[in-house]
Amino acid sequence: MTNYWRDMSLIVQKYGGSSVATPEKIKKIAEKIKKNVEEEEKVCVVVSAMGKTTDELIALAKRISDSPKPRELDMLLSTGEQVTAALLSIALNDIGVPSVSFNAFQLEMVTTSDFNNARIIDINAERLLDEFQTNDVIVVAGFQGITDLKDITTLGRGGSDTSAVAIAAKLNTKCEIYSDVAGVFACDPKIIPSAKKHEYITYDELMELASMGAKVVHSRAVEIAKKFKVELYCASTFSDERGTFVVDSLPEWLEQPVVTGVTMDKNQRKFTISPLPGGQEAQVQLFIALASKKINLDMISTVKDNGQVYLTFTVVEGASERVREVVEEVLSQYGEYRLIEDDEVVKITAVGVGMESAPGVAARFFAALNKEGVKLLGTSTSEIKISTLVPKYDAEKAVRAVAREFSLA
Amino acid sequence: MTNYWRDMSLIVQKYGGSSVATPEKIKKIAEKIKKNVEEEEKVCVVVSAMGKTTDELIALAKRISDSPKPRELDMLLSTGEQVTAALLSIALNDIGVPSVSFNAFQLEMVTTSDFNNARIIDINAERLLDEFQTNDVIVVAGFQGITDLKDITTLGRGGSDTSAVAIAAKLNTKCEIYSDVAGVFACDPKIIPSAKKHEYITYDELMELASMGAKVVHSRAVEIAKKFKVELYCASTFSDERGTFVVDSLPEWLEQPVVTGVTMDKNQRKFTISPLPGGQEAQVQLFIALASKKINLDMISTVKDNGQVYLTFTVVEGASERVREVVEEVLSQYGEYRLIEDDEVVKITAVGVGMESAPGVAARFFAALNKEGVKLLGTSTSEIKISTLVPKYDAEKAVRAVAREFSLA
């Protein structure tokens, strides 16, 4: 690949669905991008579908079939982003900014063939860079890809973030993620209005926060950003308020907070098998069977009592029917068991790279919850996070307690 | 190309926008196609955008720009057909009919790069036929194509008809055009409810009728059908009423009607230049200049009187501003002139291959109009048609007079 693009000042920007919900908003974004161009930057803009378009397309498909064929569903859903890309390019050209729009086909955004949840394999950066010879802005339909066989795929919810970061990685440049959220907050401003906004946050922390329910950036996008050291900036589309830089490690002059954020994940369903028949062999068989059905277990804990094993795990809400089927299929051959399902649980997670070097964080976390009388229903930890399940009715109280303890607001 | 497809019973069907306007209608069409499959036919289905989708997308673009960039407009408009194709394929798979949907990219429907009005150059028939090895139905997004450079094009209004006939030509099979019109009528049933429906009509006649304002099939589609001798059948989507076969020549047993149909084209604007300065040279320069601006003149007539030339012509309604500019540009150098514009005219056309061998048709045509007191404002004829301009307020009366004269109702 030629290196001429290194002479360009080149950035990738991504605008989410609510930022492009109406023709008026699209025109405003075009004006915003024009300012970048006037500062002699070339901009690759990745867009989502307008407003609730993706949901509407899914609803349309569901009026026809309860289980639309995944390949055809992606054929359908990919149109949403293409509409936005074309409209934004029309808006840019209308105000004198030379621009062209591309879909995944045209840009050869090659993915795996996992319809509805594909992963990017490669992008034709040469095509992009060629187009910058004659255009100041290239608008790319996010969320979509194509397979080797030219089938259209989509990247899963939040996939436009992933498209944007992947392009930035390929172009070796930075990526700005614009949405209606003004950056990365230490906790949800809807629950705690005084929530602190980070000026900087590390990839690792944001990845944990994102996968734990914070909605700023898609976690897979952060994963790619980390892998290729793509500098991210998350900010509000229509305000000049300073956003958040996502970086490999915090600037040295910045005091390292112990806990960076606390999140709440309501999308959990807890299963308890009491007791588990067949012991460890059954448990292994069960985990293998669940994995083969692509069910991700989240918080797993086992307790041994009086020779019996009691197993608890959580899954994301939509998967619970498949879980029941797999459990029945695997365990019925081993003996009697009780399967208890509980959807009245919420996962509370505290994240912070500072945890590694600061002992006693877990103790402070649990003490803070305990002091407020919050019931703890299960726990899992990693180097930079502590998660616990709490009853749904205690969830907001729990977030407030953790935020207070670690000065997040 | 291998010849294995000749062993298949293969048809092409096209469903227009009103036939696929809702998920419920799409499901009905899937059931209809299933019957073809049960009769061991493979079906290639070409679909238009749902209902008024194309108009809505254009309106969306116009909210952003008065003159959207043509390439980007096609990027936008092509999504409409892709949505329908995906939904119909979802519906077919849902009722057990193996089906896959394709857009122009995937099928390599290569066109010229005349955005908004491209012409098909080639179609990858091998891909289509390969897919029939594993699918009973292939759903194709109509109206769209791609250029060599992978840009998306659209084929102009009525373009899905053209897609369908082109595919049928390529596969050497017949093409069924389904819409909310039950076939080809001798005159508009909205004006004359007892209008006769043809069982057979020739390509030539239908082409004249289509380009003269009849809405059954796009005239370019008929042109391709004629060229490749594709047998067309036009019928109603949701009724079993017998439609119209479009053929090269009428079956011998059928009595040849002298006049096959009468149409009304309201989309006309008449210009008169009186007198024309500069004589024949000016006239030639004017026609060259109009052609270079892609303005199609329709009915041209010149009258010489007392050494002066008086020129009259009509154009389609939208072009009149460009006409005034071109006339001013060309004629001002030759001298004084008056340009008179009249949009209160309608073109009435009688079409019939029988005219060639039946003298006196024109005489009967004009006598019928004259008897009703219809003013004749200009005339043009060809081997199989007679057109005349009449005042707008006389148009329906004129259609009725012609229909009565030639027993079209």
Side-chain angles (χ1 to χ4, degrees), chain B residues 273-346:
Chain B
I273 298 165
S274 83
L276 178 74
Q280 190 167 315
E281 193 205 307
Q283 187 180 329
V284 171
Q285 291 305 323
L286 183 62
F287 286 177
I288 289 172
L290 288 165
S292 77
K293 298 278 180 191
K294 306 221 172 188
I295 298 165
N296 274 325
L297 302 193
D298 188 355
M299 302 181 68
I300 302 169
S301 57
T302 54
V303 176
K304 253 193 180 159
D305 183 36
N306 211 2
Q308 302 275 39
V309 176
Y310 300 84
L311 172 65
T312 303
F313 57 86
T314 64
V315 298
V316 295
E317 217 162 325
S320 68
E321 197 180 328
R322 278 180 295 152
V323 169
R324 283 195 300 274
E325 285 169 15
V326 172
V327 168
E328 168 65 20
E329 204 181 294
V330 175
L331 293 189
S332 58
Q333 55 186 305
Y334 289 104
E336 297 280 307
Y337 65 92
R338 271 206 318 150
L339 178 67
I340 304 150
E341 197 173 334
D342 183 359
D343 61 349
E344 292 296 310
V345 293
V346 169

Side-chain angles (χ1 to χ4, degrees), chain A residues 69-91:
Chain A
K69 204 176 173 188
R71 186 225 180 247
E72 304 304 322
L73 191 61
D74 281 355
M75 186 84 172
L76 178 71
L77 296 185
S78 66
T79 60
E81 279 70 18
Q82 185 168 321
V83 165
T84 317
L87 290 174
L88 180 55
S89 181
I90 286 170

Side-chain angles (χ1 to χ4, degrees), chain A residues 1-235:
Chain A
M1 190 167 130
T2 55
N3 231 7
Y4 54 79
W5 57 274
R6 288 188 186 277
D7 303 330
M8 296 181 198
S9 174
L10 184 62
I11 52 166
V12 177
Q13 295 186 338
K14 182 255 169 178
Y15 294 94
S18 63
S19 301
V20 293
T22 64
E24 291 65 38
K25 286 187 170 184
I26 289 173
K27 285 167 82 166
K28 274 194 195 163
I29 287 175
E31 294 290 351
K32 185 177 157 88
I33 295 166
K34 189 179 188 175
K35 285 185 200 144
N36 289 100
V37 171
E38 283 164 355
E39 288 162 9
E40 296 190 3
E41 279 184 315
K42 301 269 185 179
V43 192
C44 176
V45 185
V46 177
V47 289
S48 299
M50 293 169 77
K52 298 281 170 209
T53 302
T54 305
D55 291 334
E56 286 160 17
L57 289 171
I58 291 173
L60 205 56
K62 293 273 180 182
R63 277 173 67 187
I64 289 177
S65 170
D66 288 335
S67 53
K69 204 176 173 188
R71 186 225 180 247
E72 304 304 322
L73 191 61
D74 281 355
M75 186 84 172
L76 178 71
L77 296 185
S78 66
T79 60
E81 279 70 18
Q82 185 168 321
V83 165
T84 317
L87 290 174
L88 180 55
S89 181
I90 286 170
L92 285 161
N93 283 293
D94 194 62
I95 57 171
V97 179
S99 162
V100 65
S101 68
F102 285 110
N103 62 21
F105 256 120
Q106 294 164 327
L107 219 53
E108 295 168 39
M109 303 261 298
V110 182
T111 70
T112 62
S113 60
D114 303 300
F115 294 110
N116 313 161
N117 199 27
R119 283 174 172 266
I120 294 173
I121 296 171
D122 204 2
I123 298 166
N124 187 343
E126 296 225 37
R127 177 73 197 257
L128 260 172
L129 295 166
D130 278 349
E131 292 292 334
F132 274 126
Q133 302 301 308
T134 45
N135 289 287
D136 286 332
V137 180
I138 293 169
V139 188
V140 178
F143 179 58
Q144 56 181 249
I146 49 155
T147 68
D148 283 344
L149 296 172
K150 292 190 188 176
D151 288 325
I152 296 176
T153 55
T154 63
L155 308 180
R157 282 288 159 148
S160 289
D161 289 342
T162 306
S163 307
V165 174
I167 290 172
K170 193 80 191 182
L171 298 180
N172 198 14
T173 189
K174 61 188 177 178
C175 181
E176 302 173 349
I177 310 264
Y178 290 103
S179 67
D180 50 7
V181 183
V184 181
F185 287 82
C187 40
D188 189 343
K190 278 180 208 134
I191 298 173
I192 304 173
S194 61
K196 280 188 187 162
K197 187 168 65 183
H198 294 290
E199 197 174 336
Y200 293 91
I201 193 168
T202 65
Y203 299 123
D204 287 331
E205 286 166 317
L206 183 57
M207 217 173 341
E208 292 284 8
L209 289 173
S211 59
M212 294 301 141
K215 298 268 171 5
V216 204
V217 193
H218 197 224
S219 60
R220 212 157 77 221
V222 187
E223 210 177 307
I224 297 173
K226 182 190 175 182
K227 187 169 167 190
F228 295 97
K229 295 211 191 307
V230 175
E231 191 186 303
L232 292 184
Y233 175 70
C234 304

Side-chain angles (χ1 to χ4, degrees), chain A residues 13 53 68 122 156 309 344-345 357 365 373 377 380:
Chain A
Q13 295 186 338
T53 302
D122 204 2
V309 176
E344 292 295 311
V345 293
S357 50
F365 178 84
L377 305 176
S380 83

